[in-house]
Amino acid sequence: MSIAYRREIDGLRAIAVLPVVFYHAGLSWLSGGFLGVDVFFVISGYLITSLLIGDIQRGRLSIVDFYERRARRILPALFVVLAVTTCLAWIWMLPADLRVYSRSLSSVAVFLSNVFFFRNKDYFADEFDMHPLLHTWSLAVEEQFYLLFPLLLLFLFRRGTRTCIIGLSVMLLASLMLAQWTSENEPRAGFYLIYTRAWELLAGAICAFVPRQDKGRFSTVLPMLGMVGLLVSYVMFDRYTPHPSFLTVVPVLGTVLVIVFASQRDLIGALLSSRIMVWIGLISYSLYLWHYPLLVFAKIRSVPAPTPLTIASLVVLAFVLSALTWRFVEQPFRRHREGLFSRRGIFIGSAAMSALVFSVGVAIFATDGAPDRKALRNLDLPRLTESLAPNRGLSNECNGRMPVPDSCATSESPKVAVWGDSFAMHLVVGLTAAYPELGVVQLTKSLCAPIAGIAFADRGRTGESPQACLDFSDRVLDYVTSTDSIDYVIVSSPFYYLFEPGGLAAVDGAMDPEGPQSTVLRNLEKTLERLESAGKTPIVVSPPPSNGQNLGYCVVNAELRGADPDLCDFPFADIQPELLEVGEMLHQLEGRHKVVWLDRILCDADGMCRASDGSTAYYRDGRHLSKEGSRELGCRTGGWFLFGDEPNGPADSGAVVVPANDRPCGQFQQNADLAQSGE
């Protein structure tokens, strides 16, 4: 068996790479553009298996030949991109970020970047992406698959074609079943790891055993049906769709239908075989390599975030670089087989370059991100690094620990309890700075809202079952209601992650048929009422305003580039819709419970929300307050106005000005009740 060149397959590569590029560029309506990687997996499985079957049938299968072809195809362009990204990282990244980059660089060199990002990065997380090599996870998956696949195929093929197809089909089903399980229980592992991605490559591999079905009454309809399935998936899937899972069968099957049934004689095959589609397909590998680092470094370099015009220009630049890389890097290494391009030269060069890349990563990591670089010598790096550090309140130990560690309480008889997730953590510094003698106990757990009976259901982000949050909330309620010294309970969370499709886990009877927002509000009110019935005064604090950009990094980046930090400020009208939705929910609590609005503190009368005050970054990332920002704002407002009256005005107007307070922090006049703090 031999494989003839099929122009429509190159065109199908274009259908795979373009959605990925546009998705990463922020094209909102292409919410499932990331599925282009799945299409690549199917195409790769088909082409590689077809070549291997041809070699086996001719009795010429050579594992050495196979890996030589893979090295020629994958490594030259990859090393060029790695060299450029490492130079840009060296110039533009802060030490902490460069240190993380160095680890990802070393993982790419040994094709384990999927494992690295599985441990360190949620692909769909909202936070600003500082990982220029995130997209290399898919290369690692492919190379891990092909490490043993040729030997497995040879073993099965020698036992007959039927046995081979059955064996591959059994493995496909096992991998698909595992993908479905992980989509419900460990979605991050399912996304990144080979075990749950192998079925997509195997789907393509099985296509190599199926004779072309480009004739007959279905040869026109089925390719069209497959393409419709692909395009609909690109639009209908989003970050909340379980993936990979049974639902991923739709784009994978669509790709299979195009591979098996399309030809240049039908409409879909003709479109895919057009000159422009074939050209994009030919440069698709280089385009995949180039586009993502360019977009990430634009975000790293820009103050504020890059404009749509800048993003569009970078996409065009990615095409230009990809065409040059295909012409002057990919093609010479694939065509020439003498001298440096000989098999010996390829293997020695690949090993040497891989070792060099790995060593560079290790060296940068060993220097702790190279803080002595010339571009950073005149900067106050400790202050900049601290401004971006996680703000976990009193201590890093205050994350889901019960009984309460000593480091998470400022008094043996605390007057105030702070309960919630990371958005409660970031209030503690400001509160204790304004009231240093106040007895405070911190009762916080990441992604665990201060509500009894419900919890966040996505284990891919929490790394544990929702029951851990449910149990923590019950223990906090028992502790607070049974501790006589506690008079006030400050509860805070962004809450919106509970609104995500499938994001809510509830105990029996806690789920409201009207939807997650209604469920959250009802159970939050019940929790507040339970606190009040125990003689406690609950105070709800809203999340800070955010426009979705990494505001903390923007302010730091402004100082790095010598730009005005005011460029990081944003109008209230740009606040993210989910935060407005949370605001609407919290408004329904007013009148019955006290609600403190942080947008009244951070947004002024002109409707502009501030990201900094001079050199002080209020935020450490896109949504959380920095330590210094929390301290500054807490001092200025007398502890977030928690125990006094806020300025009047609607929280959604952005029209309230909070003047700076001239008194030093910790010198506010405390009322008599608070003065008896139990210290």
Side-chain angles (χ1 to χ4, degrees):
M1 177 181 178
S2 62
I3 179 172
Y5 173 65
R6 296 179 58 186
R7 289 176 60 86
E8 65 271 17
I9 298 300
D10 272 330
L12 187 58
R13 281 194 176 110
I15 297 297
V17 75
L18 290 176
V20 175
V21 173
F22 295 144
Y23 173 78
H24 288 150
L27 203 60
S28 59
W29 61 267
L30 205 63
S31 58
F34 55 87
L35 292 170
V37 173
D38 304 77
V39 177
F40 269 127
F41 285 155
V42 181
I43 296 172
S44 175
Y46 166 70
L47 293 176
I48 296 300
T49 305
S50 297
L51 291 170
L52 289 171
I53 291 174
D55 288 344
I56 293 172
Q57 290 179 331
R58 290 189 296 270
R60 291 169 42 189
L61 178 62
S62 168
I63 300 300
V64 175
D65 286 345
F66 175 78
Y67 287 121
E68 179 190 351
R69 288 197 300 263
R70 293 299 297 170
R72 289 180 185 275
R73 174 78 174 97
I74 298 296
L75 296 180
L78 176 61
F79 288 141
V80 169
V81 173
L82 291 179
V84 173
T85 57
T86 301
C87 290
L88 295 177
W90 182 268
I91 296 171
W92 288 336
M93 279 187 163
L94 288 169
D97 300 322
L98 184 62
R99 193 169 184 262
V100 175
Y101 172 84
S102 70
R103 295 171 61 203
S104 69
L105 180 66
S106 293
S107 72
V108 172
V110 292
F111 290 106
L112 288 174
S113 60
N114 63 325
V115 177
F116 172 80
F117 290 116
F118 158 61
R119 295 177 177 274
N120 294 280
K121 177 71 168 71
D122 180 357
Y123 186 86
F124 298 108
D126 288 331
E127 70 262 19
F128 180 63
D129 187 9
M130 297 290 286
H131 297 282
L133 302 179
L134 175 63
H135 63 320
T136 63
W137 72 267
S138 62
L139 302 183
V141 167
E142 279 204 40
E143 296 316 301
Q144 291 162 18
F145 180 81
Y146 291 127
L147 185 64
L148 296 176
F149 181 71
L151 294 175
L152 173 65
L153 184 66
L154 178 61
F155 173 79
L156 293 173
F157 200 86
R158 286 177 174 174
R159 283 150 180 79
T161 301
R162 184 171 179 272
T163 299
C164 191
I165 294 175
I166 292 174
L168 296 179
S169 298
V170 169
M171 288 185 287
L172 182 154
L173 290 174
S175 176
L176 176 57
M177 294 297 291
L178 182 59
Q180 176 63 27
W181 184 87
T182 57
S183 72
E184 299 171 351
N185 298 278
E186 295 288 348
R188 186 184 294 186
F191 186 88
Y192 282 116
L193 300 184
I194 177 63
Y195 317 108
T196 51
R197 292 291 187 167
W199 71 275
E200 298 173 340
L201 290 146
L202 290 167
I206 293 173
C207 289
F209 288 89
V210 180
R212 290 283 301 284
Q213 305 294 317
D214 56 348
K215 297 178 183 179
R217 55 182 176 176
F218 296 114
S219 61
T220 300
V221 175
L222 291 180
M224 188 173 298
L225 182 63
M227 186 58 65
V228 169
L230 266 180
L231 298 181
V232 168
S233 298
Y234 287 151
V235 176
M236 298 302 294
F237 274 59
D238 60 26
R239 56 174 293 183
Y240 303 118
T241 305
H243 171 73
S245 67
F246 289 157
L247 293 176
T248 314
V249 170
V250 175
V252 169
L253 181 59
T255 307
V256 167
L257 291 176
V258 173
I259 290 174
V260 174
F261 291 94
S263 72
Q264 297 179 43
R265 290 187 294 271
D266 63 74
L267 176 62
I268 296 300
L271 290 173
L272 294 177
S273 300
S274 63
R275 181 172 298 181
I276 182 62
M277 296 298 286
V278 170
W279 179 77
I280 294 174
L282 289 173
I283 67 168
S284 60
Y285 174 59
S286 289
L287 181 58
Y288 183 77
L289 289 179
W290 277 114
H291 83 281
Y292 197 71
L294 292 176
L295 294 172
V296 171
F297 279 116
K299 295 177 182 178
I300 291 174
R301 187 69 175 85
S302 299
V303 181
T307 64
L309 178 60
T310 299
I311 295 296
S313 301
L314 290 170
V315 170
V316 173
L317 177 60
F319 273 91
V320 173
L321 292 174
S322 302
L324 293 173
T325 305
W326 177 78
R327 173 65 180 83
F328 296 107
V329 179
E330 288 192 64
Q331 290 298 98
F333 277 94
R334 296 176 70 178
R335 290 180 176 177
H336 301 302
R337 297 179 178 271
E338 298 179 354
L340 293 176
F341 298 97
S342 66
R343 171 181 291 179
R344 178 183 176 84
I346 289 294
F347 282 136
I348 293 177
S350 297
M353 287 300 299
S354 296
L356 176 61
V357 170
F358 184 84
S359 300
V360 168
V362 171
I364 295 174
F365 182 82
T367 63
D368 204 24
D372 295 329
R373 282 170 283 157
K374 182 178 180 181
L376 305 178
R377 289 175 185 170
N378 295 325
L379 298 173
D380 186 356
L381 284 179
R383 180 179 60 81
L384 295 179
T385 301
E386 180 68 8
S387 68
L388 299 178
N391 179 1
R392 297 193 174 97
L394 293 176
S395 169
N396 290 341
E397 294 183 348
C398 309
N399 186 21
R401 298 280 298 277
M402 292 291 287
V404 181
D406 292 341
S407 59
C408 300
T410 63
S411 169
E412 294 182 357
S413 302
K415 192 82 168 177
V416 177
V418 180
W419 177 21
D421 50 30
S422 58
F423 284 75
M425 297 179 193
H426 71 186
L427 300 174
V428 175
V429 172
L431 176 62
T432 56
Y435 294 103
E437 302 303 320
L438 181 65
V440 175
V441 60
Q442 181 177 332
L443 309 166
T444 52
K445 181 176 175 63
S446 295
L447 285 172
C448 185
I451 307 175
I454 58 176
F456 186 44
D458 188 348
R459 291 186 66 188
R461 289 170 65 181
T462 62
E464 59 188 10
S465 72
Q467 190 61 45
C469 177
L470 293 170
D471 292 343
F472 178 76
S473 296
D474 287 343
R475 297 181 73 180
V476 168
L477 263 177
D478 290 342
Y479 171 82
V480 170
T481 56
S482 63
T483 303
D484 294 337
S485 65
I486 294 177
D487 291 333
Y488 297 90
V489 183
I490 299 163
V491 299
S492 187
S493 169
F495 299 109
Y496 53 74
Y497 56 79
L498 298 172
F499 301 166
E500 297 176 2
L504 192 59
V507 298
D508 293 342
M511 192 69 76
D512 195 307
E514 295 184 12
Q517 291 90 334
S518 178
T519 301
V520 171
L521 177 61
R522 181 166 59 84
N523 283 273
L524 177 58
E525 285 197 280
K526 286 184 177 180
T527 302
L528 299 178
E529 289 168 1
R530 182 173 170 183
L531 292 172
E532 288 178 333
S533 65
K536 317 300 179 182
T537 301
I539 303 172
V540 182
V541 180
S542 75
S546 172
N547 64 347
Q549 304 299 324
N550 190 316
L551 301 168
Y553 186 83
C554 182
V555 174
V556 169
N557 203 24
E559 183 166 344
L560 289 173
R561 317 300 168 208
D564 186 350
D566 289 348
L567 292 171
C568 303
D569 298 343
F570 59 96
F572 188 87
D574 289 348
I575 288 179
Q576 291 181 288
E578 59 264 34
L579 289 174
L580 297 177
E581 191 174 6
V582 171
E584 292 174 0
M585 182 188 76
L586 297 183
H587 272 300
Q588 298 182 57
L589 297 175
E590 286 190 305
R592 298 186 299 276
H593 309 284
K594 180 170 183 176
V595 179
V596 174
W597 300 94
L598 293 190
D599 51 7
R600 292 180 177 174
I601 296 173
L602 286 159
C603 303
D604 63 21
D606 297 325
M608 186 64 66
C609 300
R610 305 301 178 187
S612 67
D613 178 17
S615 61
T616 300
Y618 289 149
Y619 295 78
R620 71 168 176 86
D621 54 18
R623 293 175 173 176
H624 297 88
L625 298 175
S626 67
K627 296 176 183 177
E628 188 59 33
S630 178
R631 183 179 296 108
E632 172 74 16
L633 293 169
C635 287
R636 194 203 312 170
T637 60
W640 311 110
F641 302 116
L642 291 171
F643 311 114
D645 293 331
E646 284 185 85
N648 295 321
D652 57 356
S653 70
V656 179
V657 182
V658 180
N661 198 305
D662 294 331
R663 288 173 292 180
C665 209
Q667 299 300 313
F668 293 95
Q669 182 65 40
Q670 300 180 15
N671 61 45
D673 184 44
L674 286 175
Q676 299 171 4
S677 62
E679 285 285 66

